[in-house]
Amino acid sequence: MKYLSAIFFLFTVLISCNAPKKGNVTITTNIKGLKKGTVYLQRIQDTALVNIDSITIDGDSEFILTSQVQEPEIHYLYLDKKDGKQYNDRIDFFAEPGEISISTSLLDFENDIKIKGGKNQEKYMEYKKMLKRFNDRNLRIIKENFEASKQKDDEKLIENDKAYKNLVRQKYLYTINFAINNRKLEVAPYITLNEVFDANIKFLDTVASSLSPKVKKSVYGKQLIKYIKDRKAKEK
């Protein structure tokens, strides 16, 4: 009898270990070149970054992670390579109910990323592509500024300062317009909060007012509206 109980217990454990994970988001992932390591699926809960799923890789670079979401929400794919770096191997993406496909490489984890997901992710990638152009231009200005400082070229320094201010203005206007044009998606309040939170309050108000009723009630919509309200109170 004890033997049968032990067999039944072992069978139950095996079933539970191999049972499919529950969730309304299925993330099929392939990290080319990865042979060993641990991959974590993370998201923000109560201002803290928490692990919601994970897998230990031992030879197979293809795997599946799952999540349960009520609405589109930013998630993070974190590769722990035991190299002491906590932030360099992390990818952010919009998770929403359905299938998501992520592929990248061990060699260049963040830059080789390709993601197929929902509408928010599609627009988020579009925005990040443009944001990279702004960042690349900013780096060029910093490099030119460094060289001008070494050569004590005041004229060039003044020129670079104007170029930088113009670049910032372009980035802010692009982000505000992008958010307004995508007001029916949760990506709109998210990028506003994360990229141009210190913009003129009138611009932020315009974004918040333009959001669809559904997005206003989303977690990022509520955060944006609360942020604007708190900022107005401080500026009085």
Side-chain angles (χ1 to χ4, degrees):
M1 190 68 180
K2 288 182 180 180
Y3 174 77
L4 290 176
S5 297
I7 292 294
F8 177 76
F9 174 75
L10 179 60
F11 177 76
T12 304
V13 170
L14 289 173
I15 289 293
S16 63
C17 288
N18 293 308
K21 299 170 184 176
K22 295 181 179 179
N24 60 358
V25 184
T26 302
I27 305 158
T28 303
T29 309
N30 182 16
I31 304 176
K32 297 174 184 177
L34 179 63
K35 300 300 181 183
K36 287 185 179 292
T38 304
V39 181
Y40 297 91
L41 182 63
Q42 305 172 321
R43 69 180 175 193
I44 302 291
Q45 289 183 355
D46 299 323
T47 70
L49 190 62
V50 298
N51 297 328
I52 55 176
D53 199 1
S54 65
I55 187 168
T56 299
I57 305 299
D58 189 9
D60 191 354
S61 64
E62 295 186 23
F63 54 91
I64 293 175
L65 297 169
T66 62
S67 179
Q68 181 72 30
V69 299
Q70 301 300 318
E71 60 185 83
E73 182 182 340
I74 284 289
H75 281 47
Y76 303 88
L77 194 68
Y78 170 53
L79 171 60
D80 185 0
K81 296 188 294 187
K82 304 297 182 184
D83 58 2
K85 298 178 181 178
Q86 295 183 348
Y87 302 106
N88 291 354
D89 304 311
R90 183 174 279 112
I91 295 165
D92 62 334
F93 64 96
F94 259 96
E96 46 193 304
E99 302 281 336
I100 296 174
S101 171
I102 298 178
S103 66
T104 185
S105 72
L106 180 64
L107 184 63
D108 201 345
F109 187 70
E110 291 181 314
N111 293 321
D112 285 344
I113 188 70
K114 292 181 181 178
I115 303 175
K116 291 182 181 179
K119 194 66 176 178
N120 276 283
Q121 177 58 31
E122 179 184 324
K123 288 296 179 179
Y124 189 43
M125 293 290 281
E126 179 185 326
Y127 175 77
K128 290 179 77 174
K129 186 177 180 180
M130 188 63 185
L131 188 63
K132 185 179 184 302
R133 293 180 186 175
F134 284 122
N135 292 336
D136 289 345
R137 285 164 62 188
N138 185 45
L139 287 174
R140 285 199 297 271
I141 291 173
I142 291 172
K143 184 178 179 181
E144 288 176 6
N145 219 44
F146 177 73
E147 293 298 327
S149 294
K150 287 200 313 184
Q151 297 173 15
K152 297 182 180 181
D153 188 342
D154 293 338
E155 188 176 337
K156 184 63 176 177
L157 288 171
I158 293 171
E159 181 185 324
N160 286 341
D161 184 59
K162 289 180 180 178
Y164 171 74
K165 288 177 179 177
N166 186 51
L167 180 63
V168 171
R169 185 162 49 251
Q170 288 178 10
K171 174 195 169 184
Y172 276 48
L173 288 175
Y174 175 80
T175 302
I176 295 297
N177 286 326
F178 187 91
I180 293 171
N181 290 335
N182 292 283
R183 56 190 174 275
K184 295 182 180 180
L185 297 172
E186 288 77 4
V187 68
Y190 179 78
I191 63 168
T192 303
L193 275 170
N194 281 270
E195 296 297 337
V196 294
F197 64 92
D198 56 349
N200 188 300
I201 198 72
K202 291 181 180 179
F203 291 135
L204 301 184
D205 249 338
T206 301
V207 172
S209 299
S210 73
L211 298 177
S212 70
K214 171 178 167 288
V215 175
K216 283 182 180 178
K217 294 177 183 177
S218 71
V219 61
Y220 301 128
K222 289 177 180 177
Q223 286 176 4
L224 176 60
I225 292 169
K226 182 180 183 303
Y227 171 77
I228 293 171
K229 181 179 178 182
D230 290 345
R231 217 179 105 177
K232 283 181 176 179
K234 288 181 181 178
E235 293 176 0
K236 279 185 178 180

